[in-house]
Amino acid sequence: MKHLGTLLAFVAVALAFVPHVLAPPLTVLAALCASLLLEPAAVKRAWRLPALLLVLGASGLTALLVGWGAAPARGLAVGAAVLLRFLALLLLAALASRHVDAEAVQRGAKRLGMTRLGLAGGLALNSLPHLGETARDAWTALAVRRSRARPRISDLPRLAEVLLAHTARVAEEAAAAAALRGHHALARPGGPLPSVPLLVVVTGKPGAGKTPAMRGAAAALQERGVLVAGFAQIPVWAEGGKGGYVVRDLVSGEERTLAVKVGEERGEHGTPFRFEPAGFVFARAALERARTGSVLILDELGPVELRGGGHMPAVRRALARPGLAAVVVTVRPALIPSFLSQLAVPSAVIVDVEGAADPVKALLGAVAPALPPAV
Amino acid sequence: MRDARAWTHAALFGSLWGAAEASLGTVLKAAHIPLAGLVMASIGVLCLLTVRRLQPTVGISLVTGVVAAFLKVFSLGGLVLGPAAGILAEAALVELAMTAFANSALGAVVGGALALAETPLQMAFTAVVITGPEAAAALEKAARTLASGISLPAASPLAMLAGIAAAAALVGAAVGGLSWRVAGRVSRRLRGSA
């Protein structure tokens, strides 16, 4: 019965677009039969007074327009056909909204070989109520902040900005949650590493002291005779904030320009910076200094690398080198799940410099299990 | 699209656009608010350009449009092919412009112009397809009445339509530029909180 009802629903949708005088009444008939077989209550839900008034208004306007353009009798006929089509489609929409859920969409898309699109559709359906609530909250917050009963037209850009930013955050969280749970259906990571050394992730907000902690730990390890290789990205400060970055080889201490601020419009990889290919070549050379027993230090990997660009190809090549003692990577907190997902590593030690009394000591403690006992 | 975030962004921004189409769009169209199509197309351009600026990946605008069109099916206004096809066409035009102009502000302006110019053309096309030649006759009569009302009695319906599309394109270019700016503000807001 359920299959017959579904079939009739599809027949009704198809009939709605057939340009024949008998098609509209047959559409309503097919939709009613489908509703009786699948869910009789859908009729009551679909044909509520406000919806019926809307449909009457739309078909009445059509009748008027056509009657004005052709002949009154023709206008009435077309208006009636539009009315019947709308009534049928209202009923079908009521059925679809109850019987089509995110999982059904995903299953259907998978059958058609469009798994990712299905997942995106499912995610969109699931997030609809949340986005609606957010829009209402943002509207209320704006009204409270402006001390008015309701925001004005001039407040709309700010409302849009808040809503769009929140949507982007939810998207980031969804990707991070998928990565944390090991769902890679939406991503195409480069595959697991052949050998996984101890991975230490140093994290903290911008300006929390990640890079100084890394440099301090690198110097301390070198003093103890541990082989260290890698690079640090040092910001170059200019008037008005960061003017760019240089990349420093942690062994030789040499530096090369990596990025120069050129503004949002001309920036690369969605950043306000233009990147120098020579800087990436220099960083790759620094990573290639790693030997068996080395501690590899990468400061830092960001959104560009998570998209597979920037240092990422060199990083993957360096991490695939067998015999590394440990790898220490600086990553911002929000990017950790995506980063771990990209590298497909099973575990990592996280060192949060904001929560550590002595970040260098915390970092050395995290690396210690991978070093020979004498160190 | 290699990164999961590109897909989740397309899903969420498509959801936002679809929700706006299904709620605000339905209300505006049902109440026959003038220029409702342009308002909704502008919201679409804002969503498309923001997602493109945050995730500059080829194809993301198109996927966002597919998701929004899919959600539009669940609304009263979307129960005819026109609006869903319009959403897809808008997304495809923005995708084309942003890919051709390498995700730049110029691409946003061109994309916005194309997307909004498409709205009146698509409205006329949908009206003709759904209600047949009678709608074409009605539209022609309306165009002639409008033309004579503004002292352009010799203007053909097609010329009127082209003029309306050109005016919509001008508005669209402004909407594209503004949307790109708002997208930049969103990007900075997100970066500040990272």
Side-chain angles (χ1 to χ4, degrees):
Chain A
M1 280 299 182
K2 195 181 171 187
H3 289 301
L4 183 61
T6 310
L7 181 68
L8 278 170
F10 277 110
V11 168
V13 171
L15 278 171
F17 300 104
V18 173
H20 190 275
V21 69
L22 284 177
L26 286 175
T27 307
V28 175
L29 189 65
L32 267 172
C33 290
S35 175
L36 289 174
L37 290 171
L38 290 171
E39 188 197 353
V43 180
K44 201 175 170 186
R45 208 170 60 245
W47 291 349
R48 283 178 303 173
L49 188 64
L52 289 176
L53 286 176
L54 274 176
V55 167
L56 271 174
S59 48
L61 189 78
T62 308
L64 275 176
L65 269 173
V66 175
W68 181 50
R74 185 67 192 147
L76 276 176
V78 172
V82 170
L83 175 69
L84 288 173
R85 277 192 192 118
F86 265 117
L87 286 177
L89 291 171
L90 261 180
L91 193 50
L92 292 169
L95 282 174
S97 63
R98 186 65 68 91
H99 293 272
V100 180
D101 57 7
E103 285 182 6
V105 170
Q106 284 174 26
R107 279 197 305 273
K110 200 173 179 180
R111 274 190 210 133
L112 294 170
M114 296 187 289
T115 308
R116 290 192 183 90
L117 201 57
L119 283 170
L123 179 59
L125 263 183
N126 284 340
S127 59
L128 264 179
H130 175 69
L131 291 178
E133 277 172 28
T134 306
R136 279 194 296 277
D137 290 349
W139 181 264
T140 309
L142 210 57
V144 169
R145 191 177 292 176
R146 298 277 196 269
S147 306
R148 291 199 287 260
R150 61 183 62 174
R152 292 178 183 162
I153 294 286
S154 57
D155 293 330
L156 286 179
R158 179 55 63 90
L159 185 73
E161 193 184 318
V162 170
L163 200 53
L164 289 166
H166 183 81
T167 305
R169 281 195 199 100
V170 177
E172 289 281 352
E173 283 167 13
L180 269 177
R181 288 172 174 80
H183 298 317
H184 298 298
L186 285 178
R188 276 184 280 164
L193 295 168
S195 60
V196 185
L198 171 67
L199 180 66
V200 179
V201 177
V202 182
T203 194
K205 284 181 183 169
K210 300 185 290 289
T211 297
M214 290 285 261
R215 287 162 65 186
L221 286 170
Q222 281 172 320
E223 273 176 25
R224 296 176 196 182
V226 177
L227 289 170
V228 171
F231 62 81
Q233 285 180 187
I234 319 279
V236 179
W237 295 98
E239 202 176 329
K242 278 179 191 169
Y245 286 92
V246 295
V247 59
R248 178 182 292 173
D249 185 328
L250 289 172
V251 176
S252 67
E254 285 180 66
E255 290 180 355
R256 290 282 188 286
T257 300
L258 180 70
V260 179
K261 190 169 187 175
V262 291
E264 294 282 343
E265 302 301 323
R266 292 190 295 142
E268 296 170 356
H269 301 294
T271 73
F273 300 102
R274 190 189 69 232
F275 292 87
E276 301 287 342
F280 288 115
V281 173
F282 181 75
R284 190 176 68 208
L287 293 177
E288 284 172 359
R289 291 178 193 274
R291 299 285 175 266
T292 301
S294 287
V295 173
L296 194 66
I297 292 184
L298 306 158
D299 175 34
E300 89 175 77
L301 301 183
V304 178
E305 280 72 26
L306 286 175
R307 290 186 201 119
H311 298 298
M312 206 56 183
V315 168
R316 289 198 67 84
R317 209 166 26 243
L319 293 186
R321 188 186 293 271
L324 290 176
V327 177
V328 187
V329 189
T330 309
V331 182
R332 276 187 240 164
L335 303 180
I336 292 175
S338 301
F339 169 71
L340 295 178
S341 165
Q342 270 281 330
L343 293 180
V345 289
S347 64
V349 179
I350 312 280
V351 176
D352 187 347
V353 294
E354 289 174 79
D358 184 344
V360 175
K361 203 171 170 182
L363 192 44
L364 291 172
V367 178
L371 300 176
V375 178
Chain B
M1 293 193 290
R2 186 183 176 84
D3 191 347
R5 291 182 312 156
W7 283 96
T8 56
H9 274 74
L12 265 295
F13 280 88
S15 180
L16 188 64
W17 183 13
E21 283 279 355
S23 54
L24 184 64
T26 303
V27 170
L28 289 181
K29 279 166 192 167
H32 301 294
I33 302 286
L35 307 177
L38 288 185
V39 172
M40 294 318 298
S42 302
I43 291 174
V45 166
L46 179 62
C47 289
L48 286 169
L49 291 178
T50 306
V51 74
R52 190 70 180 218
R53 185 145 191 180
L54 296 177
Q55 296 287 322
T57 312
V58 173
I60 195 167
S61 307
L62 209 52
V63 177
T64 306
V66 169
V67 171
F70 160 69
L71 293 179
K72 179 74 176 167
V73 171
F74 290 87
S75 77
L76 172 62
L79 291 174
V80 283
L81 279 180
I87 288 172
L88 286 176
E90 194 180 331
L93 289 168
V94 170
E95 175 70 48
L96 196 71
M98 292 307 283
T99 306
F101 291 96
N103 299 322
S104 63
L106 181 61
V109 170
V110 173
L114 289 175
L116 263 74
E118 180 270 344
T119 307
L121 299 176
Q122 187 245 330
M123 275 169 66
F125 177 75
T126 307
V128 172
V129 166
I130 289 178
T131 47
E134 290 85 0
L139 278 176
E140 188 176 344
K141 194 171 175 181
R144 287 196 191 286
T145 310
L146 185 65
S148 61
I150 54 172
S151 308
L152 285 171
S156 71
L158 273 180
M160 287 291 293
L161 194 59
I164 292 169
L170 276 178
V171 176
V175 167
L178 278 174
S179 298
W180 190 247
R181 211 171 147 190
V182 171
R185 289 172 66 93
V186 171
S187 174
R188 280 192 290 280
R189 183 185 272 261
L190 290 169
R191 218 175 293 140
S193 66

